[in-house]
């Protein structure tokens, strides 16, 4: 084993960078990331980061909105921590240099779906994630944190129930190396690449889920995958996100006939919770036999649109759409993984020394449906708490206890006729059979196919094949959890069980 560090952090999105900057005050830090330091989902975040700092707002109101969105599955204690510690963490981001937008000398706030008041801080209009990523990565680059780019974590080393280090694949040399550490923080992000249409970047391949599961960690709530209602839908163009803040600023959804349909589906209209808007769009598309609806902000003064949403304006213009004059074609796309590695309110897993932060972790704050702009807040609040937990001199206590119902991946009939998986086949499978509207028949077919693929996958030899292996395992966890949950709740909708059931007000947890 090469050098031993106090901290090894895997991932360089907001969770990895922010954790590394705090950790360097407490010990030696190695940050490894599978691409370049700026490859992550974080830099695509548009809307912003939620915090109850407005005049008519309070942590209590933020708490209530978060709980309501989570549809009965939020962990109330961790939500309380999230909303109470938000202001201090925002101050810390400002101190790191994140340039939040201001209006008349005060931080400017916008509103997004299911927030009862404006509470979203943003930077560069709709470029919040980019500003956060650039600010933090510049700080990391100019610090004593050791950074290894193009280095993909492949295995967590555990001895007697305690983390000892990590194995990683050097994407240039094609070799495996081992690094030792006292604390390992997985900050590997989500798994949007499971689906044919996703707002996520290429790095979102569920690696952290697969690493943790294989090491014996608990994986929870995987059936809850949030689909964003409005990703640009143009042939051959990536499903670029059209932020919810566009509707927050007055944008409305129209069907192919130009009809404003959301008030027919929900009293909150265009600002109804994401899962409600997504399903309403699906119904409208189905009715019209179309693959898109439209978002309309042509009624806003054009200077407001272009200054508030410069990235969206520019991206659409590059594809010959002027959003100040034209309707923008949109459709839902996979966006955010609510489930993940089960952690407590200090980011600890059931393996001593193993922590998880960011989208890969499940702290319980999102429940069955994430409230918009709560994810980057979750990152900073709970990464900070990991650092408090691991501060020098703090004793590493026994890891969190197993609770609730535990499942292992079911044995399935493996078919010999299924061809070897490719990324596009896997993405089509999830989109068609494990997507926005699910049922037992589709889920069972997907589960059988994934089990067959898992058996047929060759030993990985490069970054792509490691990622494909990780996606197949993560996909199995999503699909099997979705099969088990025979009800509809939050982002998980079963057409064969369209109601929620009190019996399912519980979590589905997998262990190896
Ligand atoms: C288009 C878009 C818009 C969004 N808008 C908002 C918003 O407005 N507000 C909000 O709160 N949230 C938003 N989100 C969600 C939010 O951006 C993410 O949840 C958050 O940024 C995740 O941060 P992270 O650090 O956990 O993961 P990421 O930023 O995805 O970083 C993960 C890192 O881990 C690395 N990695 C992965 N696997 C490995 C491995 N095996 N070995 C080494 N490195 C690895 C990746 O390369 C990457 O650097 C948005 C997401 C998207 C996609």
């Amino acid at each position: 084993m090469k050098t031993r560090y106090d901290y090894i952090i895997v991932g360089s999105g907001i969770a990895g960078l922010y954790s590394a900057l705090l950790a360097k005050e407490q010990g030696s830090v190695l940050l490894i990331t599978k691409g370049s330091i700026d490859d992550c989902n974080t830099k695509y975040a548009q809307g912003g980061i939620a915090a109850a700092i407005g005049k008519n707002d309070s942590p209590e109101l933020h708490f209530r909105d978060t709980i309501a969105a989570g549809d009965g599955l939020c962990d109330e204690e961790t939500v309380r921590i999230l909303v109470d510690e938000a202001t201090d963490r925002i101050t810390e981001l400002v101190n790191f240099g994140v340039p939040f937008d201001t209006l008349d000398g005060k931080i400017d706030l916008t509103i997004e779906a299911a927030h009862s008041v404006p509470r979203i801080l943003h930077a560069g209009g709709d470029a919040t994630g980019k500003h956060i990523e650039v600010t933090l990565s510049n700080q990391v680059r100019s610090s004593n944190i050791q950074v290894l780019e193009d280095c993909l974590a492949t295995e967590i080393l555990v001895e007697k129930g305690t983390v000892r280090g990590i194995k990683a694949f050097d994407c240039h040399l094609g070799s495996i190396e081992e690094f030792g550490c006292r604390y390992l923080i997985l900050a590997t992000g989500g798994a949007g690449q499971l689906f044919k249409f996703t707002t996520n970047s290429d790095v979102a391949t569920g690696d952290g889920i697969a690493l943790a599961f294989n090491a014996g960690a608990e994986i929870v709530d995987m059936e809850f995958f949030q689909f964003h209602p409005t990703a640009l839908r143009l042939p051959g163009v990536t499903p670029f996100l059209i932020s919810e803040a566009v509707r927050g600023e007055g944008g409305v959804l129209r069907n192919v006939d130009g009809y404003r349909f959301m008030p027919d589906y929900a009293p909150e209209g265009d600002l109804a919770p994401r899962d409600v808007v997504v399903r309403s769009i699906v119904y409208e598309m189905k009715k019209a036999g179309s693959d898109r609806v439209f978002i309309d902000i042509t009624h806003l003064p054009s200077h407001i649109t272009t200054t508030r949403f410069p990235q969206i304006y520019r991206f659409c213009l590059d594809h010959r759409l002027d959003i100040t004059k034209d309707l923008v074609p949109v459709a839902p796309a996979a966006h955010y993984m609510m489930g993940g590695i089960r952690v407590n309110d200090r980011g600890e897993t059931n393996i001593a020394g193993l922590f998880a932060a960011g989208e890969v972790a499940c702290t319980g704050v999102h429940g069955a449906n994430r409230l918009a702009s709560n994810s980057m807040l979750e990152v900073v609040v709970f990464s900070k708490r990991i650092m408090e937990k691991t501060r020098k001199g703090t004793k590493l206590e026994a890891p969190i206890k197993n609770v609730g119902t535990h499942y292992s991946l079911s044995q399935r009939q493996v078919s010999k006729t299924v061809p070897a998986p490719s990324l596009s086949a896997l993405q089509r499978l999830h989109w068609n059979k494990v997507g926005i509207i699910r049922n037992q028949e589709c889920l069972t077919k997907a589960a059988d196919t994934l089990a067959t693929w898992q058996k047929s996958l060759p030993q990985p030899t490069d970054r792509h094949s490691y990622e494909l292996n990780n996606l197949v395992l993560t996909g199995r966890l999503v699909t099997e959890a979705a099969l088990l949950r025979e009800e509809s709740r939050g982002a998980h909708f079963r057409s064969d069980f369209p109601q929620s059931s009190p019996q399912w007000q519980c979590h589905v947890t997998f262990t190896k």
Side-chain angles (χ1 to χ4, degrees):
M1 191 174 288
K2 279 190 167 177
T3 330
R4 188 173 153 83
Y5 297 84
D6 292 315
Y7 294 88
I8 293 181
I9 296 170
V10 186
S12 57
I14 179 173
L17 297 173
Y18 182 80
S19 300
L21 288 169
L22 300 183
K24 78 176 172 51
E25 306 301 328
Q26 301 182 178
S28 55
V29 182
L30 171 68
L31 185 145
I32 72 171
T33 189
K34 66 181 173 181
S36 82
I37 195 168
D38 292 324
D39 287 344
C40 58
N41 265 352
T42 298
K43 72 174 174 198
Y44 298 103
Q46 296 178 351
I49 180 162
I53 60 168
K55 200 163 61 164
N56 300 318
D57 204 358
S58 67
E60 181 57 33
L61 210 50
H62 191 183
F63 174 85
R64 277 192 238 148
D65 290 345
T66 303
I67 297 286
D71 207 0
L73 279 195
C74 292
D75 181 313
E76 296 202 359
E77 279 175 34
T78 49
V79 175
R80 191 63 76 188
I81 291 169
L82 179 85
V83 299
D84 285 348
E85 297 184 8
T87 311
D88 288 348
R89 296 295 78 78
I90 294 295
T91 308
E92 219 157 56
L93 285 178
V94 171
N95 292 341
F96 274 129
V98 177
F100 289 115
D101 296 332
T102 54
L103 187 67
D104 302 329
K106 288 200 185 124
I107 287 186
D108 189 22
L109 298 172
T110 190
I111 190 163
E112 288 184 319
H115 288 271
S116 47
V117 294
R119 68 163 69 95
I120 319 299
L121 296 88
H122 44 87
D126 56 1
T128 313
K130 194 166 155 193
H131 282 283
I132 290 179
E133 181 70 19
V134 169
T135 305
L136 299 183
S137 65
N138 283 343
Q139 297 255 358
V140 166
R141 279 193 185 98
S142 59
S143 74
N144 59 352
I145 296 165
Q146 192 180 343
V147 178
L148 285 181
E149 294 176 298
D150 300 311
C151 184
L152 178 134
T154 58
E155 191 184 329
I156 298 170
L157 302 170
V158 181
E159 258 174 49
K160 296 188 190 136
T162 300
V163 159
R164 290 286 165 243
I166 197 145
K167 278 191 187 177
F169 176 76
D170 183 319
C171 300
H172 289 307
L173 299 176
S175 57
I176 296 275
E177 295 188 6
E178 289 186 10
F179 302 93
C181 63
R182 186 156 181 227
Y183 306 118
L184 177 64
I185 303 175
L186 292 178
T188 50
Q193 286 300 324
L194 282 172
F195 297 92
K196 179 175 169 191
F197 295 103
T198 180
T199 61
N200 285 197
S201 72
D202 291 349
V203 299
T205 53
D207 297 13
I209 299 293
L211 284 167
F213 179 79
N214 286 330
E218 298 168 306
I219 310 294
V220 64
D221 285 354
M222 291 300 283
E223 64 275 37
F224 299 110
F225 214 104
Q226 186 169 72
F227 292 80
H228 197 288
T230 56
L232 187 65
R233 180 61 71 91
L234 284 176
V237 177
T238 67
F240 181 80
L241 184 73
I242 307 296
S243 169
E244 203 149 50
V246 170
R247 278 172 287 133
E249 298 285 346
V252 297
L253 287 162
R254 299 189 184 281
N255 65 15
V256 283
D257 299 320
Y259 176 68
R260 190 180 167 191
F261 56 88
M262 270 318 296
D264 296 349
Y265 289 94
E268 309 92 325
D270 295 279
L271 288 179
R274 280 188 182 169
D275 60 307
V276 176
V277 181
V278 163
R279 285 194 296 278
S280 309
I281 291 175
V282 169
Y283 295 136
E284 286 294 316
M285 294 196 306
K286 211 167 178 185
K287 228 165 44 188
S290 167
D291 67 348
R292 66 195 67 184
V293 294
F294 295 91
I295 192 157
D296 179 2
I297 43 162
T298 54
H299 51 286
L300 283 190
S302 59
H303 71 277
I304 294 192
T305 304
T306 53
T307 49
R308 189 58 192 84
F309 304 110
Q311 289 205 130
I312 298 173
Y313 174 69
R314 174 58 48 201
F315 189 91
C316 290
L317 207 57
D318 287 347
H319 293 89
R320 295 198 207 103
L321 275 175
D322 180 348
I323 63 171
T324 66
K325 297 194 188 100
D326 302 323
L327 299 189
V328 184
V330 290
H335 187 58
Y336 184 84
M337 181 175 78
M338 260 84 68
I341 305 166
R342 193 170 86 83
V343 294
N344 66 8
D345 63 12
R346 301 268 166 194
E348 292 172 281
T349 67
N350 59 324
I351 299 173
L354 178 65
F355 294 77
E359 193 165 333
V360 72
C362 184
T363 61
V365 297
H366 305 306
N369 198 18
R370 173 183 70 117
L371 185 65
S373 289
N374 262 356
S375 50
M376 291 200 290
L377 177 64
E378 179 197 31
V379 169
V380 287
V381 166
F382 292 97
S383 300
K384 175 80 175 182
R385 293 174 69 84
I386 292 177
M387 291 309 141
E388 285 162 359
K389 176 76 205 176
T390 56
R391 193 172 289 148
K392 274 203 174 103
T394 310
K395 204 172 135 244
L396 202 59
E397 287 159 28
I400 56 171
K401 289 195 196 85
N402 288 348
V403 290
T405 316
H406 280 245
Y407 300 89
S408 49
L409 283 176
S410 47
Q411 298 292 326
R412 293 199 166 266
Q413 194 81 39
V414 172
S415 151
K416 289 203 175 88
T417 55
V418 175
S422 65
L423 179 61
S424 57
L426 174 125
Q427 291 174 328
R428 275 197 311 276
L429 180 84
H430 283 93
W431 185 258
N432 294 331
K433 305 219 179 302
V434 197
I436 296 164
I437 296 178
R438 304 154 168 186
N439 63 48
Q440 186 180 18
E441 195 189 336
C442 288
L443 289 168
T444 306
K445 277 192 186 141
D448 289 343
T449 306
L450 285 162
T452 305
W453 281 349
Q454 198 181 26
K455 280 250 156 43
S456 70
L457 279 167
Q459 208 41 37
T461 50
D462 57 11
R463 172 170 163 180
H464 175 76
S465 50
Y466 276 110
E467 290 178 335
L468 192 57
N469 271 262
N470 294 334
L471 279 168
V472 170
L473 174 51
T474 306
R476 286 202 71 194
L477 293 163
V478 173
T479 307
E480 297 285 356
L483 251 178
L484 282 165
R485 184 173 287 278
E486 293 187 332
E487 66 152 3
S488 292
R489 185 186 293 276
H492 170 72
F493 189 83
R494 294 267 308 244
S495 55
D496 45 353
F497 297 97
Q499 306 300 329
S500 61
S501 150
Q503 177 199 333
W504 276 104
Q505 195 161 6
C506 60
H507 301 274
V508 173
T509 306
F510 284 100
T511 39
K512 204 172 175 186

